[in-house]
Amino acid sequence: VQPGDTVLDLGAGTGYGSALLGELVGPEGRVFGLEIDPSLVARGQAELEHLELPQVSLHSGNALDPGTWPADAQQATKITVGFALEQIPPAWFDTLGEGAVVVAPLAGLGGAGDGQVHLVRGTFRSGELELETFEAVRYVPTRVDVPARERETPALPRTEPKTGARAKLPVVS
């Protein structure tokens, strides 16, 4: 991810990763965070207001269905996926342009039924996806619906930045 890139963050949750990506793309780039759970999107939008990252936006939608993505997000050249996939959805091939790069956890690369999920980087070229496989990882499974909540998760306490100070993301090295 470079300054000026347009990034699609699928499975964005409350947008922490989207905010980090927003710092990387800078003011000339764009980051579209997409999350299936509208309550997580609402919490994330409230948090993003404090970070002064106008290049980052969070949206509700189904990551597997490009028809639910914001129209401008379909122009993304970099895509991050925050959940384990069984396969790269065929609909992505029709939506993402030539040279788009996807980083995703993908299951079953070591043979059917091995239970392993590996991080992959794929580049769309001539209707095909060239895959580069990395180490085994653990990610949450793909969700296609939002479970009913018995109670809302309370918001975490917030420390307001000093007047005139820009809020910073906590980064652990």
Side-chain angles (χ1 to χ4, degrees):
V1 174
Q2 301 294 318
D5 279 343
T6 299
V7 180
L8 178 58
D9 183 17
L10 299 173
T14 57
Y16 181 79
S18 298
L20 291 174
L21 290 164
E23 292 284 350
L24 294 174
V25 302
E28 302 302 317
R30 286 295 316 263
V31 176
F32 297 92
L34 192 77
E35 170 57 44
I36 197 167
D37 187 337
S39 68
L40 292 178
V41 172
R43 284 181 60 190
Q45 286 172 330
E47 294 296 321
L48 280 173
E49 289 176 17
H50 298 285
L51 295 175
E52 298 178 23
L53 292 169
Q55 67 272 33
V56 179
S57 58
L58 295 179
H59 307 268
S60 292
N62 180 345
L64 302 178
D65 179 5
T68 69
W69 300 354
D72 290 344
Q74 295 181 11
Q75 305 306 313
T77 57
K78 310 281 173 68
I79 299 87
T80 64
V81 181
F83 52 89
L85 291 166
E86 294 294 322
Q87 67 174 5
I88 301 296
W92 292 7
F93 287 82
D94 297 333
T95 303
L96 299 172
E98 181 75 10
V101 176
V102 177
V103 175
L106 195 58
L109 294 175
D114 73 352
Q116 292 284 316
V117 175
H118 288 84
L119 195 62
V120 299
R121 178 173 47 214
T123 305
F124 287 90
R125 298 207 193 283
S126 303
E128 299 288 322
L129 186 63
E130 297 174 3
L131 284 182
E132 182 179 3
T133 304
F134 299 96
E135 64 275 350
V137 293
R138 290 183 185 205
Y139 273 75
V140 297
T142 302
R143 293 191 306 166
V144 293
D145 57 9
V146 180
R149 287 192 164 59
E150 291 181 21
R151 61 184 173 87
E152 283 296 314
T153 306
L156 297 174
R158 139 176 307 289
T159 303
E160 295 298 326
K162 295 177 186 171
T163 304
R166 183 169 180 250
K168 294 285 185 183
L169 293 168
V171 177
V172 178
S173 58

